[in-house]
Amino acid sequence: VSNLARRWEGHGDSPLTQLGKRQASLLGQRLRRGRFTHVLTSDLKRAAETARATGFPCETHAALREIDVGRWGGLTREELAARYPEEVEAIANGQDIPRGGGESFAAFSARVGSAIGALRARLAPGDHALVVCHGAFIATALAGVLGLGNPLRWALAHVSNTSLTGISFTSAGARLHVFNDTLHLFPLGEWPRYPDTSGMVGLVCDGLEGDCFGAFTARYDAIEHLSALGASALGEAHAALLTARLGELHQRYPAHRVALAAQAGSIQAWAERMLW
């Protein structure tokens, strides 16, 4: 409900909307055949209700909560700017102060890191854990294990509701397999949109029916051009070509949905360049 009203929530406990319940139900259907040795959820109502929709018995943990925004809770961005302009300005200038007297990003990041560390300590080889939490928690966890820096200053902080993100841990470190996957939500409509962005890229693996993504204004096939670069060029050259083509498409079709086809290795190279 708070998301719909575009209000800060933090540790607040507004309930799921009817759409939110439907999204949680679709997530549950998708995960029903999954095998998890551990299922954990934040104790906040919206996360716990989503976790129950998966059908798995789960543990609740306060450490998995969203960032605490203190007295900002329940306010819109406009109300926040009017009531606490000094705090808003301080954060805009890069000061890491406690949000609304709640948590600073450093304190939140430390809590997230401790929670992920505690979970990893419980996992034996072959174990799989499902964690139902919150957008800023997911972005901050990824930033910590992948070395991405402060996620609140770039697009990784935009995590769709009920989306799936998958990370594996080995002795060599962490590896991101899936980020922000909302395939299960396609029965509700097109790819999720973000009203505060002018453009968005969706990375989709092949083997899916094209009509489940909705209509596209244009489609560009980069595979032939990428193949001409040769396997030895995979990496910077492929990433540069995809970046250029995406930029051209965005300029040519502003505010429209377009499709660009590329090989998996090229997409991986492009994504790594964008992230790191």
Side-chain angles (χ1 to χ4, degrees), residues 35-111:
R35 294 189 175 186
F36 302 102
T37 53
H38 305 75
V39 181
L40 293 72
T41 179
S42 158
D43 63 344
L44 295 178
K45 185 185 301 181
R46 57 192 186 276
E49 189 172 351
T50 301
R52 285 195 295 273
T54 68
F56 298 108
C58 54
E59 311 169 18
T60 57
H61 294 269
L64 300 176
R65 287 183 175 189
E66 182 62 280
I67 188 171
D68 183 6
V69 297
R71 57 181 172 271
W72 291 10
L75 300 180
T76 64
R77 292 187 181 277
E78 294 75 18
E79 291 169 342
L80 176 62
R83 296 188 193 185
Y84 306 108
E86 296 86 0
E87 292 183 25
V88 172
E89 183 178 4
I91 290 175
N93 291 333
Q95 297 182 44
D96 186 22
I97 63 173
R99 275 71 174 158
E103 286 179 301
S104 64
F105 176 73
F108 175 59
S109 184
R111 170 162 66 83

Side-chain angles (χ1 to χ4, degrees), residues 87-214:
E87 292 183 25
V88 172
E89 183 178 4
I91 290 175
N93 291 333
Q95 297 182 44
D96 186 22
I97 63 173
R99 275 71 174 158
E103 286 179 301
S104 64
F105 176 73
F108 175 59
S109 184
R111 170 162 66 83
V112 171
S114 295
I116 295 298
L119 174 58
R120 290 181 62 182
R122 296 174 58 186
L123 299 179
D127 280 356
H128 293 80
L130 175 66
V131 181
V132 183
C133 49
H134 308 273
F137 189 102
I138 293 171
T140 304
L142 285 179
V145 299
L146 300 177
L148 299 179
N150 185 345
L152 299 183
R153 297 196 178 279
W154 60 300
L156 196 59
H158 296 287
V159 180
S160 298
N161 290 334
T162 73
S163 64
L164 295 171
T165 293
I167 316 168
S168 66
F169 298 97
T170 68
S171 58
R175 174 176 292 181
L176 176 64
H177 295 266
V178 176
F179 173 67
N180 215 23
D181 177 356
T182 55
L183 179 65
H184 50 282
L185 299 185
F186 284 140
L188 301 178
E190 295 181 349
W191 194 284
R193 296 175 180 271
Y194 297 101
D196 56 345
T197 59
S198 59
M200 184 176 71
V201 175
L203 306 179
V204 184
C205 186
D206 59 6
L208 297 172
E209 295 296 330
D211 58 359
C212 72
F213 300 107

Side-chain angles (χ1 to χ4, degrees), residues 220 222 226 236-252 260 270 273-274:
Y220 179 84
L226 291 165
E236 195 64 25
H238 282 223
L241 190 148
L242 282 181
T243 299
R245 293 296 176 268
L246 286 167
E248 292 168 9
L249 286 168
H250 184 53
Q251 285 187 339
R252 191 177 304 174
L260 184 149
W270 175 83
R273 177 182 180 182
M274 297 298 291

